[in-house]
Amino acid sequence: MIDGFSAQLTFLLVESVLCFVLTPFYAISKDPLRARKSVVISLNLTCGTMLLCEYLFYVYNGSTSPFNTVMMYVVNAGVYYLIVLLLLFYAMLVFFRLFGRFDFKPDMPCRKRLIAIIMIVIAGLLLVFISHFTGIYYYFDSNNIYQRGPLFWLAAVIPTIGAVLVVSVIIHHRGKMTLVQRLVLTSYLILPLTGEIIQICFFGSSLMNIFMGLSVLLMFFENVLDKEKEIVKATKTEIRTGLANEHACIEWLNAMKGKEDLKKYSAVFFDLRKFSDINRIYGVENGNRILAQFSTIIQSKIETDEILGRQFGNQFVAIVKDRNLENLLELLNGVEVPFTDAETGLENKVILSARIGVYEIDRADLDGEDILVFAAQALVIAKSKDSDDIVWLTQELLDSIAAKKKLESDIRTGLKNGEFMPFYQPKVNIKTGELCGIEALSRWVHEGETMSPASFIPIMESNDTIRLLDLYILKCVCDDIAEWIRQGLTAHVVSVNFSRRNLADPELAKRIDAVVKASKIPSNLIEIEVTETVDEFSIGILKSFVDDLHKLGYKVSIDDFGSASSSLTLLREISFDTLKIDKGFVDHSKKRDLSILTYIIKLAKEIDTDIVAEGVEQKNQVDVLDNLGVAVIQGYYFDKPLSKEDMTARLRSPQYQR
Ligand code: C2E
Ligand code: CA
Ligand code: CA
């Protein structure tokens, strides 16, 4: 029959062996949380040694041979030292699991408690050392039998205080852990404490250490399981920041689908402001560091039952509980991100802020994908408005998004059904009053109403259907010109607007030519109008587009001249046939505008470019422009944009009264 004592010895030995045997398996495996690996190994080996010491102590206790006596001293001291050391590794494990780090930098969470724990460890080790000379913890009597010293209880109380501190950190940051993780980690306090109490009340045994060993084994298995989860997570993370990827966020949300709890969450889409500036100023390498550091900072505020993911570029998504939303939004309003400069090695910092779209999840039946789409839509709005940093997805917003979607689909159908058509606005020779050119302006006859470009061009530019529209209008124009020629009417140059969005297509000039060739009209009857471009990159693209058109025999005019900031550079680089002066300069009668107008007209003459003044509505404007030497005018003063039928009639009597 096994008595209590031999059962104890068996436990000590079995636990010790388990600690030693299991450790190598962990050591050779991969743990995505790198720091954890060495701590778990240290914890296991220390615990295994401690338990072995305790076991050997019983073997040697009371024996008198010199070797055994030495061993008795050594293993007994070992138990006392290692129990204190275990506290240190335990604290390290908890800090790594909670915060991914263990250091004393000022921003270390719970730093004061951490310092206190270290002090306790140092004090604990010192006291064991002192005990060798004073016997305050234990001594061996004349029969070489172990006896407790007067302060024996302190040897148990000191690590217990340390464990209480560590557990208080766990409780404080409990949101970062699952219930199981919390229970397993706090077992390091609860189990030995229970063992201690039983030990005091019932028999003088090693229950405290046995229970401590049990807790270490529990922690070991929990870490093994968690490691597997981390590996799965690694396949769902984004390499640079280690955050979840979009797919993982959708899965996370889908797992919650149908549960009422989902409604306690908000989806937050955010995008870092001016991150391209950071890349430009500090370089891409530092940009990556800053992004990674930023992710770590935000991640540290995210609890275990929340998720932070990176979409692409500098766009992120967070699914947080409503009660944490406010804090996250405040953080994103301006977060200081320290980083070590990749080139100089110096410490530096930047302040990052975000534009944010928030969707407070109000239905449990939504798919993860839909939830993300809602939040993303709010972000798109936040980005389009410069003033608002945060946009909340409201019913109103949803309605307007739905309306926009409907408009988009109506536009696509309209394109197929031929609901779009050119209207024609004549250009008039100021001296003779004769019609001398035409601009085609698109109109959309939608649900019985004739819509102006302002209601559809921006949408078409945003979804790239503008390409289809511009080429379609060009085709209509060519067909109309061909028809006018057939009717024996004088053929005038018709200018057709091409959005700058089209410039992404390097074959655009060829496509234009193909459309014109198909209608069998000469290319010199078509003029392509493009608006100014701002950045240098697109100036290069615009230049080759214009060159291509010139080679194919088309005229090119620059529209709204003077409205963007790059006008002069543009004129230097590209030779346009016509320069259309922005309406703004014509209808403002300010003296400055007049001076600029005078200057533009003079400039155009110097570089041999024709001028058309747009938006002319009044007689006095005609007079001023005439005096300044502008030859061609376009505006309501002579004609509004006309339907094809009205334009045909106008071509039959192309003379205007001034
Ligand atoms: P835009 O090319 O500068 O065209 C001139 C605009 O000024 C036209 O507006 C025209 O109707 C208007 N306008 C003409 N004379 C006067 C006037 O005396 N007073 C005032 N207040 N306005 C005048 P619309 O037709 O609404 O077109 C607006 C803009 O939409 C155009 O500006 C052009 O940038 C764009 N657009 C029009 N059709 C097309 C197209 O087929 N393709 C592309 N990509 N853009 C187009
Ligand atoms: Ca135009
Ligand atoms: Ca214009």
Side-chain angles (χ1 to χ4, degrees):
M1 190 185 140
I2 302 174
D3 59 9
F5 184 68
S6 31
Q8 244 190 85
L9 288 187
T10 317
F11 265 118
L12 285 171
L13 200 58
V14 168
E15 278 186 2
S16 166
V17 169
L18 272 178
C19 281
F20 285 122
V21 170
L22 293 173
T23 309
F25 291 107
Y26 196 87
I28 55 169
S29 71
K30 260 206 181 114
D31 188 342
L33 296 181
R34 282 231 203 113
R36 160 164 69 187
K37 197 164 172 175
S38 40
V39 180
V40 168
I41 293 172
S42 312
L43 194 68
N44 261 19
L45 293 182
T46 312
C47 185
T49 317
M50 187 273 285
L51 294 166
L52 186 65
C53 286
E54 177 89 1
Y55 170 79
L56 290 175
F57 163 74
Y58 289 111
V59 173
Y60 294 121
N61 193 19
S63 51
T64 45
S65 81
F67 174 78
N68 285 4
T69 310
V70 172
M71 283 308 285
M72 187 178 71
Y73 273 95
V74 170
V75 295
N76 194 58
V79 173
Y80 278 80
Y81 279 118
L82 293 176
I83 284 179
V84 182
L85 217 56
L86 273 171
L87 169 67
L88 176 69
F89 292 132
Y90 169 58
M92 286 175 86
L93 182 70
V94 168
F95 274 78
F96 275 126
R97 288 295 296 274
L98 280 173
F99 315 116
R101 51 189 275 217
F102 181 85
D103 56 57
F104 305 96
K105 290 193 183 140
D107 61 335
M108 182 76 214
C110 296
R111 181 168 175 265
K112 280 194 192 134
R113 263 176 273 189
L114 178 56
I115 292 175
I117 292 163
I118 297 301
M119 305 291 258
I120 287 173
V121 169
I122 295 171
L125 293 174
L126 266 176
L127 279 169
V128 181
F129 185 70
I130 291 169
S131 172
H132 296 323
F133 308 102
T134 58
I136 50 169
Y137 277 174
Y138 63 88
Y139 58 90
F140 292 94
D141 64 13
S142 50
N143 295 326
N144 250 0
I145 301 231
Y146 168 89
Q147 297 295 343
R148 288 178 180 175
L151 295 182
F152 164 76
W153 53 271
L154 203 56
V157 167
I158 286 189
T160 307
I161 296 174
V164 167
L165 281 175
V166 180
V167 167
S168 79
V169 174
I170 297 175
I171 293 171
H172 191 202
H173 290 275
R174 59 189 174 281
K176 285 179 175 295
M177 293 193 158
T178 61
L179 183 66
V180 173
Q181 288 169 340
R182 261 181 272 157
L183 286 178
V184 169
L185 285 174
T186 40
S187 76
Y188 190 78
L189 174 66
I190 295 166
L191 282 183
L193 209 61
T194 320
E196 226 174 314
I197 292 165
I198 301 176
Q199 196 168 321
I200 291 166
C201 301
F202 296 102
F203 44 85
S205 66
S206 287
L207 216 52
M208 180 181 122
N209 291 354
I210 289 173
F211 277 21
M212 195 180 281
L214 208 60
S215 164
V216 168
L217 285 169
L218 270 178
M219 288 195 279
F220 175 80
F221 286 117
E222 196 280 318
N223 276 297
V224 169
L225 292 180
D226 187 76
K227 183 174 72 88
E228 296 308 315
K229 271 192 239 150
E230 289 286 333
I231 290 171
V232 174
K233 205 164 99 190
T235 63
K236 294 179 183 173
T237 52
E238 189 271 331
I239 309 163
R240 188 151 290 144
T241 53
L243 299 181
N245 56 28
E246 181 168 8
H247 180 68
C249 293
I250 292 175
E251 264 190 10
W252 191 94
L253 281 167
N254 282 341
M256 299 264 288
K257 190 181 167 183
K259 294 184 192 148
E260 278 302 294
D261 263 1
L262 186 59
K263 291 201 268 184
K264 291 188 190 139
Y265 284 85
S266 288
V268 183
F269 247 73
F270 57 98
D271 174 276
L272 293 176
R273 278 179 173 278
K274 309 220 166 99
F275 202 76
S276 53
D277 285 355
I278 299 232
N279 275 331
R280 190 168 46 77
I281 298 168
Y282 299 101
V284 175
E285 169 70 25
N286 281 323
N288 288 342
R289 286 183 179 204
I290 292 169
L291 212 56
Q293 187 62 21
F294 169 82
S295 309
T296 312
I297 294 173
I298 304 297
Q299 180 73 64
S300 73
K301 311 284 175 196
I302 299 286
E303 301 186 349
T304 34
D305 48 357
E306 299 177 335
I307 189 168
L308 173 69
R310 179 166 170 209
Q311 296 301 104
F312 47 78
N314 55 13
Q315 192 158 308
F316 296 81
V317 58
I319 318 288
V320 292
K321 278 170 281 179
D322 291 337
R323 62 178 157 85
N324 295 336
L325 180 61
E326 188 99 348
N327 287 343
L328 178 67
L329 295 183
E330 199 177 305
L331 184 69
L332 293 176
N333 188 26
V335 46
E336 194 179 289
V337 181
F339 68 99
T340 315
D341 195 296
E343 254 169 55
T344 62
L346 296 176
E347 293 299 317
N348 206 338
K349 62 180 175 216
V350 291
I351 309 254
L352 295 180
S353 67
R355 278 171 305 202
I356 307 164
V358 183
Y359 169 50
E360 284 182 292
I361 303 172
D362 52 1
R363 284 165 50 190
D365 63 332
L366 287 174
D367 280 334
E369 217 158 346
D370 293 337
I371 292 174
L372 292 195
V373 166
F374 282 169
Q377 280 170 334
L379 176 61
V380 169
I381 313 258
K383 279 163 79 168
S384 65
K385 288 195 258 179
D386 273 339
S387 53
D388 281 353
D389 285 340
I390 304 179
V391 169
W392 302 76
L393 193 79
T394 54
Q395 192 52 48
E396 226 180 347
L397 202 62
L398 276 177
D399 291 346
S400 85
I401 290 167
K404 190 180 162 213
K405 272 210 178 127
K406 174 168 186 315
L407 196 61
E408 271 184 7
S409 92
D410 284 359
I411 287 175
R412 282 179 204 272
T413 340
L415 273 171
K416 281 192 206 115
N417 297 350
E419 292 173 16
F420 289 87
M421 64 199 62
F423 267 45
Y424 295 100
Q425 187 174 36
K427 296 172 189 171
V428 178
N429 182 310
I430 208 166
K431 291 273 185 252
T432 63
E434 253 178 295
L435 192 156
C436 63
I438 299 167
E439 175 173 11
L441 294 157
S442 55
R443 294 291 180 268
W444 178 25
V445 182
H446 178 51
E447 294 170 354
E449 218 182 305
T450 305
M451 317 262 283
S452 282
S455 63
F456 56 85
I457 299 264
I459 292 182
M460 296 182 97
E461 283 189 330
S462 72
N463 66 14
D464 277 344
T465 39
I466 192 73
R467 219 166 61 84
L468 306 174
L469 176 76
D470 286 347
L471 286 168
Y472 177 76
I473 294 291
L474 175 69
K475 183 186 172 303
C476 298
V477 168
C478 292
D479 291 348
D480 291 349
I481 294 177
E483 198 179 320
W484 289 327
I485 292 174
R486 273 200 302 278
Q487 291 178 14
L489 297 164
T490 316
H492 289 285
V493 176
V494 180
S495 48
V496 180
N497 292 284
F498 268 81
S499 166
R500 268 185 306 179
R501 294 279 155 158
N502 292 312
L503 294 181
D505 175 7
E507 304 278 278
L508 184 60
K510 272 192 209 149
R511 281 186 224 286
I512 289 176
D513 195 44
V515 172
V516 177
K517 289 266 159 63
S519 318
K520 301 199 172 60
I521 60 159
S523 53
N524 63 8
L525 285 182
I526 295 292
E527 181 174 66
I528 303 298
E529 283 194 14
V530 284
T531 47
E532 289 180 77
T533 91
V534 180
D535 52 280
E536 242 173 80
F537 173 68
S538 32
I539 288 184
I541 295 180
L542 183 58
K543 182 172 164 35
S544 56
F545 175 57
V546 172
D547 288 346
D548 290 349
L549 286 172
H550 277 157
K551 275 182 216 142
L552 294 164
Y554 297 90
K555 291 193 170 63
V556 188
S557 66
I558 169 113
D559 206 354
D560 303 341
F561 185 78
S563 63
S565 52
S566 66
S567 311
L568 289 181
T569 324
L570 210 60
L571 284 192
R572 214 180 70 197
E573 298 287 331
I574 309 173
S575 53
F576 293 98
D577 304 283
T578 310
L579 194 154
K580 297 190 83 174
I581 301 176
D582 191 40
K583 229 177 356 240
F585 290 109
V586 176
D587 55 31
H588 289 127
S589 45
K590 271 191 276 164
K591 194 165 170 285
R592 274 175 92 84
D593 285 333
L594 200 65
S595 312
I596 295 171
L597 195 60
T598 317
Y599 158 80
I600 295 176
I601 293 163
K602 240 176 110 179
L603 179 75
K605 285 203 171 130
E606 292 283 319
I607 58 171
D608 246 349
T609 305
D610 293 339
I611 282 218
V612 174
E614 282 189 288
V616 180
E617 293 177 348
Q618 283 140 20
K619 170 102 172 67
N620 70 320
Q621 290 173 329
V622 181
D623 294 339
V624 170
L625 292 165
D626 191 10
N627 283 337
L628 291 174
V630 173
V632 180
I633 277 182
Q634 179 187 346
Y636 294 170
Y637 180 74
F638 291 116
D639 251 329
K640 290 202 165 178
L642 308 170
S643 66
K644 180 188 163 193
E645 291 67 37
D646 291 345
M647 188 67 223
T648 312
R650 178 47 84 184
L651 283 172
R652 291 186 206 284
S653 57
Q655 185 64 43
Y656 288 89
Q657 295 296 312
R658 178 153 155 189

